[in-house]
């Protein structure tokens, strides 16, 4: 079974630090639905001021896999669902130094990333339409796989 895919754009921010051990902090600051027909583009610097530098990374996918249904359910049943971004520092010396690697909406997958020592940040799932689309896909996938709430009914709250 092919995973469902949702194209997204990730915004990363570099914040300068006044610290003798660390000169900067990187973090994802937004995950947005990618406009229809927009392909993968080179990272784009979209802001640069005293508070930090923001970069736009297009061409990422949120993939929904049948084996992750429980992780999607846990996320979507939470009071404030999140999108998780695993990112890595590039070792090629080119700007930007940090780049998103994986984008997921599964609590379980994000926990495995963090347990494995990866850098991962979380952002609120801002778009109600995006939440509902993912929620419906999870419900449909759960029904296809026979995932139930223990009372014989599929149950995903959002």
């Amino acid at each position: 079974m092919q995973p469902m895919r949702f194209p997204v754009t990730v915004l990363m921010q570099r914040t300068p630090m006044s610290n003798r051990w660390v000169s900067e902090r990187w973090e994802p600051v937004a995950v947005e639905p990618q406009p229809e027909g927009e392909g993968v583009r080179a990272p784009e610097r979209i802001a640069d001021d005293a508070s930090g530098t923001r970069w736009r990374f297009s061409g990422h996918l949120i993939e929904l896999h049948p084996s992750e249904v429980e992780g999607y359910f846990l996320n979507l049943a939470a009071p404030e669902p999140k999108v998780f971004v695993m990112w890595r520092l590039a070792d090629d010396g080119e700007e930007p130094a940090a780049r998103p690697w994986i984008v997921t909406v599964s609590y379980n997958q994000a926990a495995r990333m963090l347990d494995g020592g990866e850098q991962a940040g979380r952002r609120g799932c801002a778009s109600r339409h995006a939440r509902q689309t993912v929620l419906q896909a999870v419900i449909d996938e759960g029904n296809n796989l026979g995932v139930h709430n223990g009372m014989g009914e599929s149950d995903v709250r959002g």
Side-chain angles (χ1 to χ4, degrees):
M1 179 182 292
Q2 288 284 79
M4 295 186 73
R5 293 182 170 99
F6 301 92
V8 294
T9 297
V10 177
L11 302 181
M12 297 283 293
Q13 180 167 307
R14 181 192 62 80
T15 305
M17 305 283 291
S18 296
N19 184 310
R20 64 180 171 179
W21 292 286
V22 179
S23 62
E24 60 191 23
R25 178 183 71 214
W26 284 91
E27 63 184 334
V29 292
V31 177
E32 304 169 343
Q34 186 165 307
E36 287 272 333
E38 183 179 305
V40 178
R41 295 190 296 181
E44 174 186 4
R45 185 186 316 235
I46 58 172
D48 194 358
D49 57 32
S51 67
T53 306
R54 285 191 178 201
W55 293 81
R56 179 187 319 274
F57 296 86
S58 64
H60 289 277
L61 294 172
I62 293 176
E63 293 187 347
L64 298 181
H65 295 272
S67 60
E68 290 292 330
V69 169
E70 179 185 8
Y72 306 139
F73 173 81
L74 291 171
N75 189 8
L76 291 166
E80 196 175 319
K82 303 286 185 199
V83 176
F84 302 94
V85 178
M86 184 190 91
W87 57 273
R88 293 182 175 161
L89 291 173
D91 56 4
D92 58 11
E94 292 186 23
E95 282 282 315
R99 299 182 185 145
W101 208 256
I102 296 173
V103 183
T104 184
V105 291
S106 169
Y107 264 17
N108 295 348
Q109 186 177 13
R112 287 192 302 272
M113 289 179 209
L114 291 169
D115 288 347
E118 296 287 356
Q119 302 275 354
R122 61 183 184 198
R123 299 293 1 130
C125 193
S127 164
R128 182 173 186 199
H129 174 70
R131 280 197 309 267
Q132 288 177 328
T133 301
V134 172
L135 176 62
Q136 189 60 53
V138 170
I139 291 169
D140 294 346
E141 199 64 44
N143 287 337
N144 291 340
L145 297 173
V147 175
H148 299 286
N149 65 3
M151 295 183 285
E153 301 172 357
S154 294
D155 180 32
V156 179
R157 288 171 241 140

